[in-house]
Amino acid sequence: MKIVIAIGGSILLKEYDCKKFQEYSAILKDLAKEHELFVVVGGGKPAREYIGVVRDLGAGEAQCDDIGIEVTRINAKLMLTALGDAAYQRVPHNFQEALEFSATGKIIVMGGTEPAHSTDAVSAILAEYIQADKLINLTSVDGMYTKDP
Ligand code: UTP
């Protein structure tokens, strides 16, 4: 199966340590034996903190998003380091690159793409773009809300 897995930064980067990256990479390597994997990594706490700093500097929303995207790509690089040879060692910056890089047969790891949405949206668009069989969203949110809890 072709599977997109979104890993929220809030669960991957609760603490600034390597544990979660090691744990998730072991699971991903195992899954990759049978499936084609595309992983989308979120920004979490470091993204929020950096966005806070750049917002205080007077940046507009799109520029704040741009900083957030850079942080998701750093997180994607950390995941690539954990995955080693099982992953293609470049972070796609858009959906076309993700598709191109997947020709290597290796795990693809990406972060954000462009301002005005989140990595949840990236994972949904990516799933549609590559015609994935399954989209799995790993998040710290308890469920789907119809209004602000
Ligand atoms: P996230 O998708 O991680 O946002 O991107 P989040 O809602 O904080 O999710 P968790 O906490 O990781 O689960 C971090 C920020 O990067 C920008 C947005 O500003 C977002 O809030 N971003 C990310 C974009 O603008 N475009 C993208 O494609 C991805």
Side-chain angles (χ1 to χ4, degrees):
M1 271 200 293
K2 218 185 251 191
I3 307 176
V4 174
I5 303 177
I7 308 179
S10 48
I11 55 173
L12 199 54
L13 278 146
K14 237 182 198 156
E15 309 295 332
Y16 290 83
D17 70 19
C18 66
K19 261 207 203 106
K20 283 276 182 290
F21 286 94
Q22 287 170 331
E23 287 169 6
Y24 279 109
S25 68
I27 295 167
L28 293 171
K29 278 184 200 170
D30 205 39
L31 275 174
K33 287 177 192 154
E34 284 185 38
H35 304 286
E36 193 180 342
L37 299 187
F38 294 77
V39 181
V40 181
V41 174
K45 192 170 139 198
R48 280 192 297 279
E49 289 178 352
Y50 269 78
I51 287 171
V53 174
V54 79
R55 184 169 285 131
D56 289 347
L57 288 171
E61 279 314 303
Q63 208 178 343
C64 289
D65 284 347
D66 199 40
I67 295 295
I69 292 166
E70 292 297 336
V71 177
T72 64
R73 289 175 179 165
I74 289 172
N75 292 343
K77 281 191 175 178
L78 296 184
M79 185 57 89
L80 286 180
T81 306
L83 285 165
D85 197 40
Y88 185 67
Q89 292 293 323
R90 265 185 71 192
V91 177
H93 285 195
N94 56 54
F95 304 108
Q96 192 182 345
E97 279 183 1
L99 190 59
E100 277 171 27
F101 297 172
S102 73
T104 58
K106 297 197 173 202
I107 302 172
I108 302 304
V109 186
M110 68 189 290
T113 52
E114 66 267 315
H117 62 205
S118 69
T119 48
D120 280 348
V122 171
S123 63
I125 299 166
L126 178 64
E128 206 272 330
Y129 193 96
I130 61 159
Q131 299 188 300
D133 301 294
K134 216 181 252 292
L135 166 61
I136 299 170
N137 191 317
L138 304 174
T139 177
S140 58
V141 178
D142 299 329
M144 290 265 200
Y145 296 94
T146 53
K147 57 180 192 252
D148 194 337

